[in-house]
Amino acid sequence: NAVAAEPKHFVFRGAGDYDFNSKSVSVLYPYWFGALGNNSTDDYQEIQKTVDCAIRNKIGVVKLLSGYHLISKGILIRNGVNTVTLTIEGNTDYDADYGTNIVSTDSTNFVIGIQGSRSCMVRNMYLRGKGSSYNPTPAQIIQNTRAQWRAQWGRDDRYSPFSGIVIDPFKTTAPTGGGYPGFSDQYSNTHATSSAVIIENVVIRYFPVGIMISPSGNNNNGAEVTIRSCTIDRCEYGFAGGSTQSRDVDLVNTNISTVAACMDGVTFGGQAAPMPIVIGGQLSACKDILRYSAARGDGKIVGTYSESVYRIGKWTSNSGAPLNFNNCEINFITSAETGLPDAASVLDAAGCT
């Protein structure tokens, strides 16, 4: 039934599961289960228990308030072999002292993982990974090796990179390298796969990958994803796809900067993911705007501004599909700014307009 408690009160102290009437309780707060958000206590178990309880009782929203929520393991939104619908949200002033921050004290899995979504939403928060003191120079953005990025921001394994948000991280068998540490049990399960995910008003920093779709190599779904009004910076890759079926992905009014590649479909999982449609926003301070090969779909970037760009990147072997820039402005970084020679080619390409 209804819960007569303030959001920050510690209510449920006993072990075991709790049952709620979803008609009376529409929001769960992790503080009811003991989370503190005090920048010193590990809140992983309390937040995960809140998410599990919401899913089991069909309560649609998990709400985090202002504070720094440390987690030692990724929060997984999953409903067994079934699909799941859940919103996890914070306060709108997410990037201030009194906003909602979730800070990973681990550097091997993810902050939020979603498996089998049907209309899941993540919004209004700041997700922070490892290496928050590292702000790479333009020359480092261009020259850093994978090993150098890994040393700063954590695991960048092909099938399980450390990510701010990962959609459909698992398949039924563990991939080469073992998959995400701490989640070995997930690779023995049958999984639903995702469609209809919205990520909105989220800041993501200090990860090998900001937002990752289907890294496991399972080429099923991970489709119909909207990333809207987000900021992704100081990551090796802003957005990355790992499945040929990750179609209908939109980046809308989203800013990606201070990255090796803003968008990537050739590094993780099956290494042949289609490119999202980009509408508005900014793609800047990067070595490459995009890296796609064998993606089997058009590339479209509309109304986007870019500056301090070293190269447009790679667009090859995409079955003749065009790469289109419409009403965009791209300003390239100069050798005087980087201390390095200009790129030998602006775009490795075939079939562009």
Side-chain angles (χ1 to χ4, degrees):
N1 296 318
V3 179
E6 293 296 320
K8 280 276 190 176
H9 285 178
F10 187 2
V11 179
F12 304 110
R13 298 174 182 268
D17 297 329
Y18 293 89
D19 294 325
F20 296 86
N21 182 342
S22 61
K23 294 181 180 179
S24 301
V25 180
S26 59
V27 179
L28 289 185
Y29 296 90
Y31 319 101
W32 290 350
F33 297 85
L36 296 174
N38 62 3
N39 203 26
S40 62
T41 304
D42 184 4
D43 287 328
Y44 160 70
Q45 290 188 349
E46 291 77 13
I47 297 174
Q48 186 65 64
K49 188 168 187 177
T50 308
V51 167
D52 293 344
C53 189
I55 293 170
R56 187 176 62 254
N57 288 280
K58 296 181 172 58
I59 296 171
V61 178
V62 168
K63 174 80 172 180
L64 286 81
L65 303 180
S66 298
Y68 288 82
H69 304 77
L70 305 187
I71 58 169
S72 58
K73 186 178 179 181
I75 305 302
L76 180 59
I77 300 172
R78 180 178 181 272
N79 187 23
V81 300
N82 301 310
T83 57
V84 59
T85 301
L86 183 72
T87 293
I88 182 166
E89 67 179 16
N91 282 345
T92 54
D93 54 347
Y94 50 83
D95 200 15
D97 289 340
Y98 298 101
T100 300
N101 294 258
I102 305 180
V103 183
S104 176
T105 60
D106 177 76
S107 60
T108 63
N109 42 75
F110 45 81
V111 172
I112 297 175
I114 303 170
Q115 185 74 47
S117 166
R118 291 298 182 274
S119 300
C120 282
M121 179 179 289
V122 180
R123 65 185 179 192
N124 301 342
M125 60 183 63
Y126 177 13
L127 308 182
R128 191 171 58 171
K130 178 185 176 185
S132 59
S133 63
Y134 184 59
N135 188 16
T137 66
Q140 288 170 327
I141 290 170
I142 294 166
Q143 291 186 309
N144 272 4
T145 64
R146 292 281 300 275
Q148 287 171 315
W149 290 118
R150 189 183 310 123
Q152 296 295 334
W153 289 328
R155 177 186 178 92
D156 64 352
D157 183 83
R158 173 178 172 179
Y159 299 106
S160 52
F162 181 39
S163 306
I165 298 173
V166 59
I167 298 169
D168 290 349
F170 307 115
K171 64 176 184 176
T172 55
T173 58
T176 301
Y180 280 106
F183 289 93
S184 58
D185 58 320
Q186 295 295 329
Y187 291 99
S188 62
N189 294 323
T190 299
H191 300 286
T193 52
S194 293
S195 62
V197 180
I198 296 175
I199 302 168
E200 183 177 56
N201 208 27
V202 176
V203 172
I204 302 174
R205 292 186 175 125
Y206 315 120
F207 297 90
V209 183
I211 297 175
M212 177 80 234
I213 300 180
S214 301
S216 70
N218 182 15
N219 281 323
N220 288 314
N221 237 6
E224 299 171 28
V225 177
T226 300
I227 301 164
R228 183 167 55 224
S229 301
C230 293
T231 296
I232 305 170
D233 61 28
R234 281 160 276 183
C235 295
E236 185 178 359
Y237 303 89
F239 167 87
S243 166
T244 59
Q245 302 305 303
S246 296
R247 302 189 182 103
D248 298 319
V249 178
D250 297 326
L251 294 177
V252 182
N253 295 330
T254 287
N255 299 328
I256 303 177
S257 66
T258 319
V259 294
C262 295
M263 301 177 289
D264 179 273
V266 299
T267 302
F268 301 101
Q271 299 181 322
M275 181 180 139
I277 295 172
V278 182
I279 303 171
Q282 185 168 320
L283 306 172
S284 294
C286 59
K287 181 176 182 179
D288 291 335
I289 291 177
L290 56 93
R291 296 174 183 171
Y292 288 91
S293 181
R296 303 174 189 175
D298 294 3
K300 297 178 182 178
I301 301 179
V302 180
T304 298
Y305 175 79
S306 299
E307 66 181 17
S308 299
V309 172
Y310 188 63
R311 298 175 0 117
I312 293 175
K314 180 177 183 177
W315 184 263
T316 60
S317 303
N318 290 313
S319 302
L323 174 62
N324 300 284
F325 290 83
N326 185 2
N327 196 29
C328 296
E329 179 179 341
I330 302 174
N331 297 290
F332 292 93
I333 198 165
T334 67
S335 58
E337 295 171 284
T338 65
L340 302 171
D342 291 334
S345 64
V346 171
L347 178 65
D348 302 333
C352 297
T353 58

